[in-house]
Structures are given as C-alpha cells and as structure tokens.
RNA sequence: GGGGGCAUAGCUCAGUUGGUUUAGAGCAUCUGCCUUACAAGCAGAGGGUCCGCGGUUCGAACCCGUGUGCCCCCA
C-alpha cells in the first residue's frame, strides 16, 4: 500500500467518526462497569462553535475517551440550553426582517415562531461537535425545554415556593420604555453622549434664604427625590446633615443625610437621592429607609406621583422642567457634559432604571451545604485557587432574581386575581384545586419567564430524569456525575447553583471534580468575542489543519485555570505532529517489507528495545499521574516529547538498519507494538489519526477507540541511565563535530579513554552510527592530532581529516572549566557553612557532597585535556 | 466601590511540603545539513536582575510584608 507524502485528515476524520457512531461506542447504558459520567455544559441553542467550546469540549472528550479505555462505562450527555434572552433576541430579529413586530403578536403566536426557529436553526453546534470528534452519547441529547424538563422546572418553582424559598420583591431593573420590558444587563449598550449637567439649588428649611446645590444630568427626576446626601467628612456640609431642604417647584420637604458613598469632588459634593430611578440611589434608599417615589409610567411618561407634567414623555419634560426651574430661579449653571448613557440593544431607546416586582429565590439555606461540599473537598476544584473565590461568594450570597420579562422560556407558574392576590401551582387547574378561594374567579398567569439558569441548575440529574422520574435506574447509576468541565466565569451562575440543586433535590452533590478551563483570548490578550470579531472560524481551522491538529493546538498551551492566548502557530505545530506520526508510519511500513527472520536479535537493537520499553513504562506512569491531577496540557507535552524525541529521534534511529538492509523480524514486531502503545496513549488527545494509524500499521481486530489500556510494567532504571549516557555522548560528540566544522558526511575515528569500557561496548554500534564514526577504539592515554572532548570522567578523542582548531577547543574547555569551578565554589560555600551542616537533612547533605566530588572529578578531566592540547 | 487572580527566556508556560549539578520545556531565533520516513524535516547552539524593594532562614523563583503593572468577576 502506497501512503501519501503527508497526512490528509479530512476523509480519515469523516470515516472514523461515522464508524465509531455506527459501532455504538459512544452510547452508554447502565452495566457492571463503574460509570464515568460527564454532562456537557449545554451551549446556547443559538450558539455556533467558538474557541471556548473547542477548548471545553476537547477537554471533556479527552477525559471521556480515556475513561473508556480505562474500562469505565463512560456517558457523556449532549444537549442545549434554551437561552431565553439570546434566543428571544434572535427570533425578534428574524421577525423584524420579515416585517413583523413582536408587539403585534400574541404570546402563543410568538412562541410558535420561536419553536419554528429553534427546529430550523437551533443546535447547529451539536453537529459541529461531531467534527471535533467528541464522543457524545447522541441518543441522550437533551434540551432544557423538553416537555419533561419543562415540567420539572415548573415543579421546582412550586416546590421552593411552598417551602418559602421563593418570594416576590422589588428590584431596580433596566427598563426599555419602547418595548415596555425589562432588559438584562447584556442588552444595554452604553454610548458616550454629549449632554448637559445642571447645577440646581434647593432651598433649605432654615430661617433665611439659604440653599444647597446639587448637580444632575437628569433634572426631570427631581420630582422623585427623597433626600440629599453628602459625604460625612465634607466640612462644607457638616452643619446641614440632619436638616431638611425643599424639592424645587413642588416644595416637598426632604432630609439631608450623610453617607460615604458620595464623592466629595464630584459636582457640588451634594447628591440628590431618587430611589425609584437610579440603581445606587435605590440602595441608599434601602439603607436609610427613604420614601420611594416612582414618577414614571411604563411607557416613559410621567406618572401621577410626579404631580406635574403627568402623561408627558420624560425627554420632553427635561426641556420643560429646566425652563420652569430657570423661571423659579433654581438653576445655578448649565454646562456641557459628556457621559455614558445606556441604550436598549433592541429598540435603541434610552434605558430607564425602574423599580419592578420580581420573583426571588432565598439563597441563604440553599448555599450552606453547597459551600461545605467544596470546602471539605467532597467536590474538588481544579485548580484549587477557585475555592477562595467560591467561598467568598457563598458566604456573602445575595438572593437570586429569577424572573425575566421574556416569553421564550419556562413561564412562571403564578396566577393573579384582579385584586392582585398570587396563587402558585403547576397549572391553572391545580390553582383552582389547591386554592378554593379562587373558585369562579378570573385569573391570569404571570407574563414573565424564569431565568435560564433556573433550568440549567437541574441539568446534571434531570438529563437522567432524576426528578421527573425519581430513583430511576439511570439516575441511580449515572448520578453523581464524575467531572464537570466549565469556564470560571460561570462558577456562580451555574456551578454553585448546580451544587445547591443537587443537594436539595438528589440529596447528593452533582459531581466530584470541577475542572475550570481558562478564557480563550487573542494574541493581544483580548477576550474573544463576536463584537470584536477576533474569534477565528473554527470549522475553517478544522478544514485547514484537521481536527486532531486543532485539538492538539488548543490543548498544548492551556494549563488548567490559566487563560489561553490563542495563536494559530500551535495548530501548525499540531499539524506537523500529525505529519510526524504519519512519516513514522511510512518508515515502519517500509521496514515491514524488509524483514529478516533468521539469526538472533543484534545486541544494539536489543539495547534500544530495552531502553524504549523502560522509557515507555516510565512515561505511562507520568502521564497517569498528570491526568489524575487534571494537568492535561502537561500530559500532552510529555507524550509529544515521547513520540517525537524518544521514539522518532532516538529509538527509530538506533534500530534503523543500514542502507537497504533488512530488519530482524522480532525487532520490527516489537517496534510496531511500541508504536501502537504510543498511539493508544495519544488517542484521547488526537482520536482520528491514532485510529487511522492503528489500522494502517497492521490488521487489527479491535478499534483503538475501545481498546483497553494494559497496566504498565516495571521501569528498569539502569537501562534508562545507560540510554541517558548514550544520548549525552552522542550530543556532545555531535556538538564537537559541529564546532570543528566536520562535514556530516565525513566519517571520524573515535578513541575513548575511560576507566570502564563496559558501558560503551554495549552501545558501541549505535554510537558509531549516530556520530558517523568509522571506528571506535579504547585508549589509555591521549591520541595525537585529535579533538579532545571531556564528559563526566571520560575523555573522547576525535580523529578526522580536518585541521584542528586548537584555539577554539581551548576556549570551549576553559568556558566549561570556569562553569565547573563556579559551581564547585557555591557547593563548597554551603558545605563550609557550619549551620548548614548542622541543620540540613542528611540526604541533602549527601547530595551536596556528591556534587562536590563530581565537580572535582570533572575539573580534573578538563584540566588534563587542556594540558594535552 | 467590593472580591479574586497573575507577574520566571522574544512568546506560551513547568518548576511538587524552601536544598535535585550556580533555573527547565515547547514555540520562535541563529548555525550547519536536500543524510536512504519526514525541509510541515535532521543535527547543534545561543538566550533569564525568576517584576522592584524589604523581611524570615544556614539556604528563597518558592514563605511573609510592601510597591508597581496587567487581568477577571460582582455592583
């Protein structure tokens, strides 16, 4: 079979992904094996694959594929989140394109469009995950608005309400006066606006005509003022704290209070407090128990509470009130002022902060066990540094506002009568059943939906119908899940709340380990985002480099919890690595055709095999340890070096037969076995190419995807050491060749001066091949007209057809000597320090003494070499 | 404003309870090679005030304090 010059991923990837799915390797059902469960952090149903998903899902796939090969029964559940805000925005935009306004539609009609959109465009991301090779159990694909799931969410709301953990309360929200809806923070766009700042004076309730001045950019809101606030340290106003002032035009008497919130340098240092129309003022109002005067209707016109300008738009009122204030003599100054103003992403209307009645979850009790689970390491965070962050948040937890003024989502199961009484139950029928007083009354359901996170906090058990079908066989088998892989920015939104829901509804934590990935940034360190346009097209990258290369590139530079500066050059590195694997395969296929079954295994080949076996065992150990600690990127680096350096650069060269010479069959077989082990270790990281080569190397009865790992053997330390020595000698002699400008093609003669020939004799053939030596001899003394190199206690004399650069040699030796002497001095300084000798542990002392002896021996060798020059 | 994190080679990062050959790797750079798997390659080399300052210790990249710079989350 003729193999292509370079590895071509496209066809290979499609072929193996469908094969794996057809074989059912990714589908899991409960069995005798231990479960390894991962639930995907459900991407928005509107989502398309970006670098964050790529990182996140590659990590999950690595964990899941490894578990599969370790004999677990892995189950990785895919699915999507209904993402109320994002999806509703998409649907509204689609309708707008068709010339339909959301406000012209009934709720039912709108939802019809929304479902239509979801069926047509939703979940593209799940297709894209297949491209990446993710071994998800597609038969379990879930959606947070699946019928069962929907009912469960509603049930949880009712349950928490009955337990007294859900209540209604007022809150400041961003209000879009045009759409007459609340906006989430994400939907508010801040723009710089050239406006005016008005300094207004309020008459004090004191004898005489005394005033206090405040600065505001929103003069129309003075009608809702409840106080004036100054800084307690502000000497200008100390005498006024506790006094009263009158709101201009309407002459309402308001107190003057003091709080450190006020910035003394800003404006006049006195702040008007309007709790109903400013976020910060609202908090001040709560703190000092101020009156809340809501002067605005939901369409942005002034309400009766304003007492003037009723029914007029707040923007018009601003112009009018300024004129009226000027007439009344309350305007001190009007200056140009540039400031940030929030606009609605949807309607471009100026957003007004407004008070509104919302639904809340009381978090105190829910948080306690969830905090404990993490602090006692029942749940382990990787890296552990996120524990602090988590603890701080959980100890200062605030109640959770769960209502959203949207239609797409789980509609709040609360009904109101005309008097405004609230009745909570799973359905209208249940309301009539449970609340006899509602009999015959006309009830209407709350218009709002629940926060998306109020459904996703149930994800780890509800994907197994843990709540809709309690104690079923699947949830008992798969829950708690094993590892959650997610981004640190949603530690509070999602991770903390899943732990709470798990404890509350399953009585068990939802997962044992949480792996926090970093944030993917661009080269300049900016977070990747759609608005910046700095997020590369992932599918394009997969087409260009192959999925394995993309997985490699994103993993090689992403230590747990550290941000990842994405640079396409790592994908190139990944592609080159694929190619390296491919070329090694080509070499092996060439040797396969040239085997020699006679005779015994050559001594040097035997040495090479023993050495690589030891190296493989040792590395397997290391990788295992690293993965246990979730150091995935480290593990990949170790494997990369094992394949590229140890296997390709050293081992394959060591066993390589002479030109067109055959290879001993036993050596070939062993080498194929080694290579297959490497592929197996690499498979979780780069599934496609490893499966392909696994089958290219020889006819396999088993796919690599499901091939179980074998336990690794003992590590022969002495053979590792011998290999290390060989490598050192080769590198040193190659360096000497280079420095003396001996052409690669020119053979040299090597003379070794050593006390013990034995170690060199075993590796002599390999050594000769690797440094292009025509002969290797042993000598007791110096060799005339040769290049001398010192290593450890031994000396090497190179005889070549080449003028010897004695001066250059001398420079190198002197450099080495200086280094050794400096080192020796530092060691001796330590050893001559009495306190060190007294206090240091015995083994530390022994190491220092050995360092000293080694350095002395080496200095002697170098000095002798110098003398011979 | 509150909280958290980071700072080691040009870049991205390791560095295990303070002692492991006067700090390691990959990428990039430089030099020499089209050597019979691979130039998307091979061989070799150079490159560091471990952010500044102070302290603890026989000994600090590591522990403590402080300053500076950058980042994230919440309001």
């Amino acid at each position: 079979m003729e193999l292509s010059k370079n590895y071509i991923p496209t066809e290979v990837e499609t072929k193996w992904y469908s094969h794996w799915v057809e074989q059912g390797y990714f589908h899991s059902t409960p069995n005798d094996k231990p479960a390894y469960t991962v639930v995907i952090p459900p991407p928005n149903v509107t989502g398309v694959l970006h670098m964050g998903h790529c990182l996140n899902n590659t990590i999950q796939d690595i964990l899941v594929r490894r578990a599969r090969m370790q004999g677990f029964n892995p189950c990785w559940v895919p699915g999507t989140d209904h993402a109320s805000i994002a999806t509703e925005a998409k649907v509204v935009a689609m309708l707008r394109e068709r010339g339909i306004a959301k406000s012209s539609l009934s709720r039912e009609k709108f939802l019809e469009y929304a479902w239509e959109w979801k069926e047509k465009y939703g979940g593209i991301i799940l297709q894209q995950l297949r491209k990446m090779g993710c071994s998800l159990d597609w038969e379990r694909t879930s959606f947070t608005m699946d019928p069962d799931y929907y009912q469960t969410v509603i049930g949880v709301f009712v349950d928490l309400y009955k337990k007294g953990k859900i209540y209604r309360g007022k809150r400041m929200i961003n209000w879009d006066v045009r759409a007459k809806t609340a906006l989430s923070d994400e939907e508010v766009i801040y723009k710089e606006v050239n406006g005016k700042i008005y300094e207004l004076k309020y008459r004090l309730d004191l004898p005489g005509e005394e005033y206090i001045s405040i600065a505001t950019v929103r003069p129309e809101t003075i009608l809702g003022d409840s106080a004036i606030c100054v800084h307690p340290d502000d000497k200008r106003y100390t005498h006024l704290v506790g006094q009263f002032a009158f709101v201009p035009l309407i002459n309402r008497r308001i107190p003057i209070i003091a709080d450190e919130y006020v910035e003394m340098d800003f404006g006049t240092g006195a702040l008007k407090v309007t709790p109903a129309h400013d976020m910060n003022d609202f908090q001040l109002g709560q703190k000092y128990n101020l009156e809340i005067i809501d002067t605005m209707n939901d369409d942005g016109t002034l309400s009766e509470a304003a007492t003037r300008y009723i029914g007029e738009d707040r923007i018009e009122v601003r112009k009018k009130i300024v004129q009226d204030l000027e007439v009344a003599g309350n305007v001190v100054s009007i200056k140009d002022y540039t400031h940030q103003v929030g606009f609605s992403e949807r309607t471009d209307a100026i957003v007004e902060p407004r008070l509104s009645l919302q639904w809340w979850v009381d978090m105190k009790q829910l948080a306690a066990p969830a905090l404990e689970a993490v602090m006692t390491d029942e749940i382990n965070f990787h890296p552990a540094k996120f524990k602090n962050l988590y603890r701080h948040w959980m100890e200062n937890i605030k109640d959770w506002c769960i209502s959203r003024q949207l239609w797409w989502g789980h509609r709040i199961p609360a009904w109101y009568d005309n008097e405004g009484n609230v009745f909570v139950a799973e359905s209208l029928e249940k309301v009539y059943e449970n609340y006899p007083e509602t009999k015959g009354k006309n009830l209407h359901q709350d218009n709002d939906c629940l926060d998306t996170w109020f459904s996703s906090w149930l994800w780890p058990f509800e994907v197994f119908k843990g709540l809709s079908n309690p104690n079923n066989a699947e949830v008992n088998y798969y829950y708690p899940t094993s590892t959650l892989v997610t981004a640190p920015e949603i530690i509070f939104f999602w991770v903390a709340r899943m732990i709470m829901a798990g404890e509350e509804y399953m009585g068990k934590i939802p997962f044992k380990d949480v792996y926090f990935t970093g944030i993917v940034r661009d080269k300049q360190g900016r977070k990747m985002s759609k608005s910046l346009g700095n997020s590369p097209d992932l599918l394009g990258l997969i087409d260009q480099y192959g999925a394995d290369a993309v997985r490699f590139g994103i993993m090689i530079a992403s230590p747990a919890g550290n941000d990842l500066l994405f640079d396409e050059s790592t994908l190139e590195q990944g592609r080159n690595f694929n190619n390296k694997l491919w070329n090694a395969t080509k070499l092996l296929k060439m040797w396969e055709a040239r085997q020699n079954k006679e005779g015994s295994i050559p001594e040097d080949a035997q040495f090479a095999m023993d050495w690589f076996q030891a190296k493989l065992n040792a590395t397997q150990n290391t990788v295992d340890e690293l993965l246990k600690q979730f150091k995935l990127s480290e593990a990949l680096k170790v494997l990369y070096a094992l394949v590229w350096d140890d296997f390709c650069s050293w081992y394959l060269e060591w066993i390589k037969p002479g030109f067109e010479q055959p290879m001993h069959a036993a050596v070939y077989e062993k080498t194929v076995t080694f290579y297959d082990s490497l592929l197996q270790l690499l498979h979780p990281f780069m599934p496609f190419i490893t499966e392909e080569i696994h089958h290219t190397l020889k006819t396999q009865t088993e796919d690599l995807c499901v091939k179980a790992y074998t336990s690794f053997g003992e590590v022969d330390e002495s053979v590792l050491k011998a290999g290390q020595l060989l490598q050192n000698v080769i590198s040193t002699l190659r360096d000497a060749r280079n420095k003396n400008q001996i052409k690669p093609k020119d053979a040299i003669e090597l003379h070794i001066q050593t006390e013990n020939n034995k170690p060199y004799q075993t590796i002599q053939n390999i050594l000769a091949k690797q440094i292009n030596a025509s002969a290797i001899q042993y000598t007791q003394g110096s060799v005339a007209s040769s290049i001398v190199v010192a290593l450890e206690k031994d000396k090497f004399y190179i005889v070549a057809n080449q003028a010897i650069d004695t001066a250059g040699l001398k420079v190198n030796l002197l450099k080495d000597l200086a280094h050794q002497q400096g080192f020796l001095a530092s060691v001796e300084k330590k050893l001559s320090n009495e306190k060190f000798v007294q206090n240091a542990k015995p083994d530390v002392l022994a190491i220092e003494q050995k360092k000293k002896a080694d350095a002395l021996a080496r200095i002697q060798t170098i000095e002798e070499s110098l003398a011979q020059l």
Side-chain angles (χ1 to χ4, degrees):
Chain A
M1 177 176 40
E2 189 67 25
L3 297 182
S4 60
K5 184 177 184 311
N6 289 331
Y7 174 64
I8 304 160
T10 325
E11 273 178 42
V12 170
E13 291 176 0
T14 321
K15 174 180 80 184
W16 286 113
Y17 199 85
S18 6
H19 176 76
W20 292 328
V21 171
E22 275 162 26
Q23 295 298 310
Y25 292 153
F26 303 161
H27 180 54
S28 169
T29 47
N31 62 19
D32 304 339
K33 293 181 183 175
Y36 186 89
T37 315
V38 175
V39 290
I40 200 170
N44 286 357
V45 69
T46 57
V48 287
L49 202 61
H50 59 61
M51 296 313 292
H53 296 124
C54 174
L55 172 64
N56 191 278
N57 289 293
T58 300
I59 291 168
Q60 291 172 72
D61 196 42
I62 291 166
L63 297 175
V64 168
R65 281 183 183 270
R66 189 171 161 85
R68 187 175 293 117
M69 295 165 87
Q70 280 175 319
F72 288 90
N73 175 5
C75 180
W76 185 14
V77 182
T80 46
D81 189 296
H82 67 284
S84 52
I85 295 170
T87 309
E88 183 147 333
K90 287 254 178 192
V91 176
V92 169
M94 173 201 80
L95 289 172
R96 198 182 296 137
E97 262 173 42
R98 293 199 210 165
I100 307 169
K102 182 192 165 192
S103 52
S104 73
L105 295 175
S106 68
R107 186 182 188 110
E108 288 66 33
K109 193 69 198 165
F110 176 82
L111 287 177
E112 228 172 80
Y113 280 119
W115 278 107
E116 182 191 313
W117 187 94
K118 186 255 170 189
E119 294 311 327
K120 203 162 168 192
Y121 304 107
I124 290 175
I125 194 162
L126 298 180
Q127 293 305 320
Q128 297 175 325
L129 288 171
R130 290 172 163 90
K131 278 259 179 196
M132 279 179 45
C134 293
S135 59
L136 287 149
D137 185 351
W138 295 109
E139 292 169 51
R140 293 179 179 277
T141 308
S142 300
F143 179 53
T144 51
M145 271 171 65
D146 281 339
D148 288 358
Y149 206 110
Y150 192 105
Q151 279 317 309
T152 302
V153 172
I154 298 303
V156 165
F157 183 97
V158 174
D159 177 67
L160 289 176
Y161 180 79
K162 281 184 188 155
K163 288 175 180 163
K165 288 180 181 166
I166 283 184
Y167 65 93
R168 285 180 97 199
K170 283 203 165 172
R171 187 202 187 198
M172 245 327 141
I173 49 159
N174 301 303
W175 186 259
D176 180 335
V177 296
R178 208 164 296 164
K180 290 187 196 168
T181 176
L183 300 173
S184 68
D185 294 343
E186 291 75 25
E187 295 169 295
V188 180
I189 300 164
Y190 289 91
K191 294 187 214 166
E192 201 143 272
V193 168
N194 296 319
K196 305 256 189 246
I197 187 158
Y198 306 86
E199 189 178 328
L200 307 175
K201 59 181 186 180
Y202 289 38
R203 189 168 58 81
L204 293 166
D205 187 13
L206 287 173
E209 283 284 298
E210 270 197 78
Y211 291 89
I212 183 168
S213 290
I214 56 92
T216 180
V217 292
R218 295 196 300 159
E220 71 281 7
T221 62
I222 67 167
L223 304 171
D225 285 357
S226 332
I228 287 176
C229 191
V230 297
H231 196 281
D233 298 340
D234 196 334
K235 300 236 162 52
R236 294 172 292 179
Y237 300 116
T238 317
H239 65 290
L240 294 180
V241 174
Q243 301 296 328
F244 290 83
F246 293 102
V247 177
L249 302 178
I250 55 172
N251 285 324
R252 198 176 52 247
R253 191 166 170 269
I254 56 172
I256 299 171
I257 59 173
D259 192 275
E260 280 161 1
Y261 165 73
V262 178
E263 281 178 57
M264 287 196 269
D265 316 337
F266 185 83
T268 62
L271 173 79
K272 74 185 211 50
V273 184
T274 321
H277 297 288
D278 184 279
M279 301 269 180
N280 295 311
D281 291 8
F282 178 70
Q283 282 176 0
L284 275 177
Q286 295 287 90
K287 194 165 165 187
Y288 295 100
N289 217 356
L290 301 173
E291 195 186 347
I292 295 167
I293 305 159
D294 187 348
T295 59
M296 202 191 300
N297 295 316
D298 61 3
D299 59 356
T301 60
L302 268 62
S303 69
E304 295 202 354
T307 69
R308 304 183 74 163
Y309 316 106
I310 297 165
E312 297 183 51
D313 188 82
R314 81 264 190 233
I315 296 184
E316 287 307 309
V317 172
R318 179 174 301 173
K319 294 175 194 156
K320 279 194 181 172
I321 201 169
V322 170
Q323 285 171 11
D324 293 344
L325 286 165
E326 277 182 318
V327 171
N330 290 95
V331 179
V332 179
S333 70
I334 302 175
K335 287 178 187 142
D336 288 334
Y337 184 67
T338 312
H339 62 129
Q340 299 281 321
V341 176
F343 289 82
S344 167
E345 186 184 31
R346 303 194 221 166
T347 64
D348 207 35
I350 291 177
V351 169
E352 300 291 340
R354 187 164 185 260
L355 271 182
S356 151
L357 211 47
Q358 305 287 329
W359 289 93
W360 299 79
V361 179
D362 178 354
M363 299 300 270
K364 282 271 168 344
Q365 285 173 35
L366 287 169
L371 173 60
E372 203 193 318
V374 173
M375 295 328 288
T376 57
D377 293 331
E378 198 189 344
I379 296 174
N380 286 293
F381 281 3
H382 308 278
K385 67 181 179 188
F386 288 110
K387 263 170 88 170
N388 276 340
L389 188 70
Y390 180 83
R391 188 185 60 209
H392 187 267
W393 192 76
M394 293 295 269
E395 282 174 352
N396 297 284
I397 197 158
K398 302 214 172 71
D399 285 355
W400 176 15
C401 179
I402 50 168
S403 41
R404 296 289 182 273
Q405 289 66 43
L406 296 164
W407 284 350
W408 175 250
H410 309 80
R411 189 172 182 180
I412 292 175
W415 280 260
Y416 307 95
D417 63 15
N418 290 334
E419 289 80 52
N421 295 312
V422 187
F423 308 98
V424 170
E426 285 81 354
S427 62
L428 185 55
E429 292 73 47
K430 279 271 175 81
V431 170
Y432 285 123
E433 197 180 312
N434 296 351
Y435 301 93
E437 67 268 35
T438 57
K439 202 173 175 200
K441 277 190 178 175
N442 199 6
L443 301 177
H444 60 275
Q445 190 173 357
D446 195 310
N447 274 319
D448 292 352
C449 276
L450 289 163
D451 180 15
T452 296
W453 301 107
F454 194 85
S455 56
S456 37
W457 73 330
L458 313 175
W459 188 251
F461 50 84
E462 194 46 29
V463 294
F464 302 111
K465 311 227 181 300
L467 209 48
S468 44
N469 180 15
N471 260 316
N472 72 71
E474 294 223 322
V475 76
N476 288 346
Y477 179 75
Y478 291 116
Y479 188 91
T481 70
S482 305
T483 307
L484 178 80
V485 180
T486 192
E489 65 249 43
I490 55 173
I491 185 169
F492 308 127
F493 287 133
W494 196 44
V495 179
R497 288 168 185 165
M498 277 192 288
I499 300 174
M500 296 179 204
E503 301 255 20
E504 180 76 11
Y505 288 104
M506 292 292 113
K508 279 186 216 160
I509 52 164
F511 27 69
K512 299 179 198 89
D513 292 287
V514 183
Y515 179 101
F516 290 104
T517 68
I519 295 165
V520 184
R521 302 172 175 286
D522 67 8
K523 261 185 178 169
Q524 287 132 58
R526 300 174 306 176
K527 197 167 163 174
M528 285 194 172
S529 72
K530 225 184 273 171
S531 50
L532 275 174
N534 57 353
S535 196
D537 166 25
L538 198 55
L539 293 182
L541 292 176
I542 291 176
D543 283 343
Q544 192 181 345
Y545 295 99
D548 287 325
V550 171
R551 291 167 64 118
F552 176 94
I554 199 138
M555 284 313 297
I556 197 76
S558 82
N562 271 15
D563 288 358
L564 155 81
L565 266 71
F566 178 74
D567 184 342
E568 224 173 292
S569 71
T570 60
L571 305 199
E572 226 169 282
Q573 196 188 342
R575 181 200 56 191
N576 294 354
F577 187 38
N578 278 334
N579 224 23
K580 188 72 182 177
L581 291 165
W582 190 244
N583 280 307
T585 311
K586 274 158 61 183
L587 180 64
L588 261 62
K589 292 313 276 184
M590 204 178 86
W591 289 344
E592 183 183 35
R594 276 189 219 146
Q595 289 180 69
N596 166 23
K597 294 201 166 57
E598 269 115 68
S600 55
I601 298 170
E603 195 187 12
D604 53 340
Q606 186 60 54
F607 171 81
M609 291 192 295
D610 292 345
W611 173 78
F612 192 76
Q613 183 70 64
K615 196 81 199 170
L616 181 65
N617 292 349
T619 309
Q620 232 170 329
N621 251 320
T622 311
V623 167
D624 203 51
E625 272 309 307
L626 288 170
L627 290 179
K628 269 184 197 150
Q629 297 167 46
F630 290 90
K631 294 184 175 175
L632 275 65
S633 143
E634 284 293 296
L636 180 56
K637 279 181 192 173
V638 167
L639 288 173
Y640 176 76
L642 178 68
V643 171
W644 199 303
D645 301 336
D646 295 315
F647 186 70
C648 293
S649 295
W650 292 117
Y651 174 76
L652 291 180
E653 295 299 330
W654 288 356
I655 59 162
K656 188 181 264 181
F659 184 54
E660 293 196 340
Q661 293 298 302
M663 169 175 279
H664 194 281
V667 178
Y668 174 76
E669 283 304 324
K670 190 74 187 166
T671 303
V672 168
T673 310
F674 284 152
Y675 197 31
D676 208 34
S677 302
L678 294 177
L679 295 171
Q680 199 182 3
L681 285 170
L682 220 42
H683 179 78
F685 297 89
M686 304 168 78
F688 294 113
I689 189 170
T690 48
E691 185 77 84
E692 174 72 6
I693 298 178
H694 173 71
H695 288 277
T696 307
L697 272 183
K698 64 176 189 184
T699 311
Q700 301 279 2
T701 51
E702 196 176 14
D703 291 323
L704 195 58
C705 179
V706 289
K707 189 177 167 185
Y709 285 122
T710 47
S711 59
F712 27 82
E714 289 281 302
V715 178
D716 183 341
E717 293 290 344
S718 67
V719 80
L720 273 188
K721 235 172 149 181
Q724 177 81 53
L725 172 69
L726 178 57
Q727 291 172 342
N728 278 346
V729 175
I730 292 169
S731 294
T732 307
L733 293 175
R734 278 173 174 170
D735 184 31
R737 288 186 60 122
N738 255 346
K739 290 213 169 100
N740 288 283
Q741 296 176 332
I742 300 172
K743 294 242 159 60
K745 276 181 181 164
D746 293 347
I748 55 162
E749 271 177 38
L750 182 67
H751 302 263
I752 305 174
Q753 183 183 352
T754 176
E755 284 171 10
N756 183 9
N757 294 356
K758 193 101 208 313
Y760 292 110
Q761 276 163 348
T762 356
I763 58 178
Q764 192 168 306
N765 287 341
I766 295 173
L767 181 57
K769 188 160 63 184
Q770 292 274 276
I771 61 168
N772 191 14
S774 54
I776 292 181
Q777 283 145 22
Y778 297 87
T779 172
Q780 299 300 315
S782 66
V783 176
S785 41
S786 66
I787 300 158
V788 62
V789 190
L791 181 81
E792 306 281 316
K793 292 171 194 168
D794 302 336
K795 275 177 264 181
F796 298 84
Y797 303 92
I798 298 170
V799 178
N801 279 334
Q802 185 90 21
I804 295 162
D805 176 12
T806 324
L809 274 179
K810 205 167 171 181
V811 168
N812 281 330
L813 284 169
L814 284 171
K815 211 167 137 194
D816 198 8
L817 184 66
H819 180 266
Q820 293 300 335
Q821 281 168 338
F823 177 67
L824 179 66
S826 80
V827 176
E828 280 181 331
K829 192 177 154 199
K830 250 189 211 177
L831 285 169
S832 63
N833 183 333
E834 268 180 46
K835 286 188 174 169
F836 169 73
V837 180
Q838 277 165 21
N839 294 327
K841 288 180 214 144
D843 46 331
V844 172
L845 200 61
I847 287 168
E848 292 301 318
Q849 271 154 353
K850 181 167 188 312
K851 280 189 201 170
K852 184 180 169 180
D854 287 355
L856 281 171
R858 219 168 312 165
I859 286 168
Q860 197 194 345
T861 315
I862 297 167
E863 279 172 342
E864 282 169 16
S865 306
L866 274 169
Q868 286 160 12
L869 274 178

